[in-house]
Amino acid sequence: MRTQVAIVGGGPAGLLLSHLLHLQGVDSVVLERRSRDYVEQRVRAGVLEQGTVDLLRDCGLGERMQREGEVHEGVFVQFDQERVHIPFAELTGRSITVYGQKQVVRDLNERRSADGGQVLFEVDDVAVHDITTDRPSVTFTHEGRARTLEADFVAGCDGFHGVCRDAIPAEVRRVYERVYPFGWLGILAEVAPSTDELIYANNSRGFALHSMRSSTISRFYLQCAPDEPIENWPDRRIWDELATRLGTPGWELREGPIFDKSVTPMRSFVAEPLRHGRLFLAGDSAHIVPPTGAKGLNLAVADVDRLAEAITDHYRTGSETGLDEYSAACLRRVWRVQHFSWWMTSLTHRFEGPDQEFDRRLQQSQFDYLRSSQAAATTLAENYVGLPLR
């Protein structure tokens, strides 16, 4: 097999990169380890930055998002039982859209199918070769047959546990990581949201988040141990804990059937550089952020937007400038987003240990500052709605 860009990973990063390249007349083949149904049903992020929304709309992927997505012009931040509103639109002129990642992936798969895009699902034994030459390749097994895909470039969009990052030699790769001492218990419930905008709550019992997926489906998160067994959280305990951590005077939490539960450990992770030879990393293969800032999917979109432009420019003009600048340009955004996600996590979560009372007083001080300072609220708002893609 031969293509211009071999894309390893058929999640949102890989599929969007393939679509953006297609719009510019650049051929690609996407290789995905999981089935299409699995990829489309994975429960992941649900908050899109303004720049992500604009890009998806401008490249023809916005019809269902604009019809079904919910535009939010602010967010609530809560400390114990006191809640403050951060008005995004008023402070920045921008907003966010609540639209699940699995909906984004479904939209991308439907569009790639309609455009005749080559997306191969359920591939095994993927390996990347000769990335420092002008003829890199990817070997894999598909439908019981060993295959080789030759390309001009390889895009590693295969996530944190993929093979592409490890194809960069250890002597030229540097990893930065922080593992947090807690995780998130995430649930989906068949119940109308109890709020019109997201609530981030810092309670003495731990963090809680009230989000939503639609007018009839609510999404909740609770801080828990990173290795917490799901069996420790029967439905009644979940609702009681959410009511305690999210509770404020005069506000009532609606309850309904819970149909999905999962525990997600939390980490911050960056691998540098994002390029080695003809291999380019994008999305979770290069960086992971704690979900507190809702940045994972949006950061992947920013990566592939820049990568698609650099590859297109190479084919149109022969220029290597965009390719040469790709890693450094992406990393500037990555580290800004890492800082914001760490800051949001530090503001909203309970930390155990000998300094926990000191930490909590610092959190109280930061909350008071957000409540009283427009400058502080604006800083949160402009980072949450997302800095411009360029």
Side-chain angles (χ1 to χ4, degrees):
M1 300 176 63
R2 174 74 191 173
T3 190
Q4 290 174 295
V5 183
I7 301 173
V8 183
L15 292 170
L16 180 57
L17 177 60
S18 179
H19 176 64
L20 293 173
L21 292 173
H22 167 76
L23 294 178
Q24 301 302 324
V26 179
D27 294 330
S28 67
V29 174
V30 179
L31 307 175
E32 168 55 44
R33 182 169 63 94
R34 300 286 194 171
S35 69
R36 176 170 174 171
D37 183 66
Y38 179 91
V39 172
E40 291 186 358
Q41 293 304 316
R42 279 185 296 196
V43 177
R44 291 290 188 271
V47 175
L48 305 183
E49 295 177 355
Q50 183 72 65
T52 298
V53 170
D54 293 343
L55 176 64
L56 294 176
R57 183 192 62 237
D58 292 345
C59 70
L61 294 166
E63 181 181 351
R64 183 155 43 202
M65 175 186 65
Q66 291 182 289
R67 184 175 66 248
E68 299 180 5
E70 297 186 6
V71 177
H72 288 195
E73 296 187 342
V75 70
F76 293 101
V77 180
Q78 181 175 325
F79 192 86
D80 286 336
Q81 292 190 321
E82 188 171 0
R83 191 177 293 173
V84 63
H85 185 247
I86 308 296
F88 295 157
E90 176 184 324
L91 296 171
T92 70
R94 290 174 286 160
S95 59
I96 60 170
T97 297
V98 176
Y99 189 66
Q101 177 174 309
K102 68 179 185 179
Q103 280 82 10
V104 175
V105 171
R106 181 183 60 179
D107 295 343
L108 282 162
N109 269 324
E110 290 178 0
R111 186 58 181 268
R112 294 308 295 130
S113 295
D115 291 339
Q118 286 190 279
V119 182
L120 304 183
F121 293 96
E122 298 182 82
V123 303
D124 292 314
D125 306 318
V126 176
V128 178
H129 309 276
D130 302 323
I131 57 176
T132 57
T133 74
D134 60 359
R135 294 184 66 84
S137 63
V138 182
T139 55
F140 61 97
T141 302
H142 184 239
E143 296 179 343
R145 178 184 174 190
R147 309 288 293 272
T148 299
L149 175 62
E150 297 180 345
D152 298 327
F153 302 101
V154 177
C157 304
D158 51 343
F160 183 74
H161 299 289
V163 302
C164 287
R165 183 175 66 249
D166 289 339
I168 299 178
E171 59 269 21
V172 300
R173 175 164 44 96
R174 186 165 184 180
V175 169
Y176 304 85
E177 185 172 22
R178 170 171 290 173
V179 177
Y180 295 87
F182 40 71
W184 275 12
L185 169 67
I187 73 162
L188 284 167
E190 192 175 335
V191 60
S194 306
T195 175
D196 55 352
E197 292 176 334
L198 279 69
I199 304 171
Y200 285 81
N202 180 334
N203 185 270
S204 59
R205 295 179 62 84
F207 166 81
L209 171 61
H210 186 341
S211 183
M212 61 283 294
R213 287 296 177 268
S214 70
S215 61
T216 59
I217 302 296
S218 294
R219 180 70 161 157
F220 299 94
Y221 298 97
L222 287 166
Q223 178 182 346
C224 64
D227 55 352
E228 187 85 17
I230 289 291
E231 296 75 22
N232 289 355
W233 289 90
D235 292 4
R236 186 65 262 156
R237 182 188 177 192
I238 289 173
W239 289 119
D240 289 345
E241 199 66 28
L242 285 169
T244 298
R245 299 189 194 185
L246 292 167
T248 58
W251 182 83
E252 184 177 353
L253 175 68
R254 296 169 180 160
E255 299 182 8
I258 295 174
F259 62 90
D260 185 85
K261 301 179 187 179
S262 62
V263 173
T264 302
M266 294 176 64
R267 61 159 44 91
S268 299
F269 175 89
V270 181
E272 298 184 7
L274 275 62
R275 177 195 182 179
H276 184 68
R278 294 285 182 121
L279 171 65
F280 297 82
L281 303 180
D284 288 357
S285 64
H287 41 71
I288 298 288
V289 292
T292 324
K295 294 301 177 191
L297 173 60
N298 296 289
L299 200 52
V301 168
D303 287 349
V304 299
D305 175 52
R306 187 175 291 275
L307 182 55
E309 182 181 66
I311 292 173
T312 299
D313 191 45
H314 166 81
Y315 284 118
R316 285 183 175 173
T317 69
S319 172
E320 298 281 322
T321 301
L323 300 173
D324 293 339
E325 295 178 349
Y326 170 75
S327 181
C330 287
L331 284 169
R332 283 193 293 271
R333 187 184 190 92
V334 167
W335 282 109
R336 170 87 296 276
V337 168
Q338 287 285 2
H339 179 269
F340 176 68
S341 300
W342 163 83
W343 179 83
M344 282 286 288
T345 303
S346 300
L347 173 67
T348 56
H349 287 69
R350 185 190 68 218
F351 289 83
E352 304 286 356
D355 299 327
Q356 67 183 66
E357 293 303 320
F358 184 85
D359 291 340
R360 187 146 181 82
R361 293 301 295 269
L362 290 177
Q363 292 172 334
Q364 173 75 70
S365 175
Q366 184 61 60
F367 176 80
D368 292 342
Y369 187 42
L370 282 173
R371 179 179 53 187
S372 61
S373 168
Q374 182 171 315
T378 300
T379 296
L380 190 157
E382 71 176 6
N383 280 274
Y384 200 97
V385 301
L387 302 174
L389 288 179
R390 304 298 173 84

